[in-house]
Amino acid sequence: MGRNWDWSREQGRIKRLEAEVQARLNEQPFDVNNVPLHSHDGTYQSMFSKGWHSVLEIDIRLRVDAVRSYHAASNRVAKRFGVSHG
C-alpha cells in the first residue's frame, strides 16, 4: 500500500475514536455505519472506511476511561488546592 492509503486508513481510526469517545462522554447515540466522507477518491475513501471499522470496543473503552480518569484527577487536585479549572 502507498503512504497515502496508509494515512487514509489511520485517519479513519482517529476520526472514529474521536467521534465515538465524544458521543459516549456526552451520552449521545453513535451510528458506526455512518462513515463520514474523507475523500472523493474511491480508494482513499475505502481505506478510510477500513480504518473506521477497524476500531475495537477495547480501543474506545480505554480512551473513555482515560478521559474520565483525567477529569476525576483534575477535579481532586482542584478541590485539594482550591484551583479553578475550565
Side-chain angles (χ1 to χ4, degrees):
M1 285 194 290
R3 285 184 293 183
N4 288 339
W5 292 359
D6 293 337
W7 181 83
S8 290
R9 188 174 193 283
E10 185 61 24
Q11 288 303 302
R13 284 187 56 78
I14 290 168
K15 298 301 182 189
R16 161 86 183 276
L17 284 166
E18 289 173 352
E20 191 152 0
V21 166
Q22 285 305 309
R24 289 191 187 194
L25 290 173
N26 294 314
E27 298 178 2
Q28 298 292 318
F30 185 81
D31 181 4
V32 69
N33 294 314
N34 188 12
V35 180
L37 179 65
H38 168 71
S39 174
H40 291 286
D41 180 281
T43 302
Y44 294 147
Q45 183 64 32
S46 174
M47 295 308 294
F48 181 87
S49 182
K50 286 179 183 181
W52 180 272
H53 289 292
S54 73
V55 174
L56 302 174
E57 179 66 23
I58 190 67
D59 297 326
I60 298 160
R61 285 183 181 250
L62 287 171
R63 282 163 181 81
V64 167
D65 290 347
V67 170
R68 287 183 178 152
S69 295
Y70 169 79
H71 285 297
S74 178
N75 288 336
R76 285 193 303 270
V77 168
K79 186 175 180 180
R80 171 72 173 94
F81 295 103
V83 177
S84 173
H85 63 283

